[in-house]
Amino acid sequence: MPTSAGELLQLVRSERATTRKALLTSTGLSRTTLTARLDQLLGAGLLAEDGHEDSTGGRPARHLRFDDGHAVVLAASIDTMHAEAAVTDLAGRRLAHRAGELRVADGPEAVLDRIAEWFEAMLAEVGRPGGGLQGHSPGEPRLAGQVPGGPGGVVRAGPGLAGARGGAVGGNPGSDGGPGGVAATGPGLVGGHGGAAADNPGSAGGPSGVAGVNPGSAGGQAGIAGAEPSSATRPRGAAGAGWPPVCGIGISVPGPVEPGRTCVTQPPIMPGWDGYPIDTHLGPRFGAPVLVDNDANLMALGEHRARYPDSPALVVVKASTGIGAGLVIGGEVYRGVDGGAGDIGHVRLPDHPEARCLCGSTGCLAAVAGGGALAARLTELGLPTTSGSGVRERILAGEPAAVRLAEEAGRQVGEVLATLVCVVNPGVLVVAGDLAEPHFVAGVREVLYRRALPRSTRNLRIEIGGRGQAIDGAVAMVVDAQFSPAAVDKRL
């Protein structure tokens, strides 16, 4: 079967073939066909050809690479008491970052509005000269089918990709047209500067030339809000002056997310969020598709991509106010039938019938050993504590009661993980979250190695995770979805 342009891009992105000669060898395509498809990718700004590979003789080969600077990703990690957000390039390099206290219990509108404000401030920062990533100049190649606009500033295009300034998705005000700078495009990814995102020709943009995003129309594995024709606009819109083009938005949430959806389903610690359309809240504002997934899943994906790419099976345990696990098997997040894989926080411990969980059951691991449970017990001991992050602060301060409770909680989590390790047989187990500190992890190790089969642990590494894995995973989720072979072929 002929190798498509999207499959060629995937070969280059994975670095399995980074020269024309290597692509010819890998695919068996004719030179003419290969050249035509590479021209598509180069013209769309998805590939760049520069530098030289080492050569043993003859003319040096030109090096092909994925152009990871032609658009940005917006990513946010929402936790129970705080959140962080970042703007990154397509390789995950952070161009701007924000973090602060943010209570998920305040509800989706308040939380998402704050996240959106962070995004807008960071986009303005990144878009400044010297701010980290500048859009392509109007003179760079356009996508196939694009025609410069007339005096009205309209740019028509076929299905769009992450457009450059004045590119196939969104025009820069004043480029390829007048001040209106409206881009009328077919289904696409990115709203350009002042342009409309994912709008069919003729639908009108508002003050910033924004076209609305119809939620969930192109649902991917973790829930993509596909851009569909719409005339809905918002005052601040998808393209602020000087913003770089946005490829997509990835959101990490501390609750269950069903594959293909962009909302949480019956989250025990997220009042008011059940079924709330995160995509329609953020998508139209930035003219970009929105993907949402559980935080443990994205932490696992982030850890795998950044630190353990060669591990065939990896587990990340997030121990914070609640407890959950994310599994990466064969390089892909394993979510189960409806997104419930890894929900170890609701495994019941038989010796704790008095511990009532927010899910309504008793004896759940999260109700016994989660940060919320430890905070409540510290409060009962005369040490007022409200969340897992508060427990961590007391542990780091050397509070004896907090240290003792952390070690005990680690042993309880280790009991459940011993079973998980026997079932999954991972090469790496990463403990992350607010409780991921040496006392808690020592308790995990103590019980896990004693209870699990020696065969399951002889090649097992137990590590303490860093910070920001959920952001890294959210970026990877967006880039994987938006630049998969099928997605690229559809837009080209």
Side-chain angles (χ1 to χ4, degrees), residues 95-107:
L95 308 174
H97 181 262
R98 295 287 189 280
E101 292 185 4
L102 198 58
R103 289 170 44 87
V104 73
D106 288 342

Side-chain angles (χ1 to χ4, degrees), residues 41-331:
L41 296 169
L42 290 162
L46 298 178
L47 278 184
E49 193 170 23
D50 53 24
H52 297 89
E53 279 195 344
D54 293 335
S55 176
T56 57
R59 190 171 65 179
R62 297 279 287 172
H63 182 73
L64 291 163
R65 62 176 177 81
F66 176 56
D67 186 357
D68 54 33
H70 75 270
V72 298
V73 176
L74 308 182
S77 172
I78 301 169
D79 212 329
T80 52
M81 301 296 290
H82 62 275
E84 65 173 324
V87 175
T88 78
D89 65 13
L90 301 179
R93 291 181 288 262
R94 297 192 183 187
L95 308 174
H97 181 262
R98 295 287 189 280
E101 292 185 4
L102 198 58
R103 289 170 44 87
V104 73
D106 288 342
E109 292 189 0
V111 170
L112 294 175
D113 280 345
R114 180 73 178 279
I115 295 292
E117 290 169 1
W118 286 352
F119 283 157
E120 289 175 343
M122 289 187 291
L123 284 169
E125 175 184 327
V126 170
R128 291 197 306 265
L133 183 147
Q134 300 299 309
H136 290 180
S137 66
E140 291 184 353
R142 309 176 193 281
L143 297 186
Q146 185 175 349
V147 181
V154 177
V155 179
R156 294 182 178 272
L161 287 161
R165 292 189 188 177
V169 187
N172 190 30
S175 66
D176 294 315
V182 179
T185 73
L189 283 181
V190 180
H193 297 267
D199 194 11
N200 275 341
S203 62
S208 294
V210 183
V213 176
N214 188 25
S217 60
Q221 186 156 13
I224 302 173
E228 290 289 349
S230 170
S231 59
T233 59
R234 296 184 60 144
R236 275 177 288 186
W243 286 4
V246 178
C247 165
I249 303 170
I251 304 294
S252 163
V253 293
V257 178
E258 295 183 16
R261 301 195 67 189
T262 52
C263 60
V264 291
T265 303
Q266 299 179 343
I269 60 173
M270 300 176 70
W273 287 78
D274 184 22
Y276 186 85
I278 297 173
D279 51 354
T280 56
H281 193 110
L282 293 175
R285 191 161 180 166
F286 299 95
V290 178
L291 291 83
V292 181
D293 204 355
N294 172 261
D295 52 6
N297 287 341
L298 293 182
M299 293 170 90
L301 182 59
E303 285 282 2
H304 185 268
R305 294 294 175 84
R307 300 172 64 190
Y308 309 104
D310 297 327
S311 177
L314 173 144
V315 173
V316 169
V317 177
K318 184 197 175 191
S320 290
T321 298
I323 298 175
L327 290 72
V328 174
I329 299 175

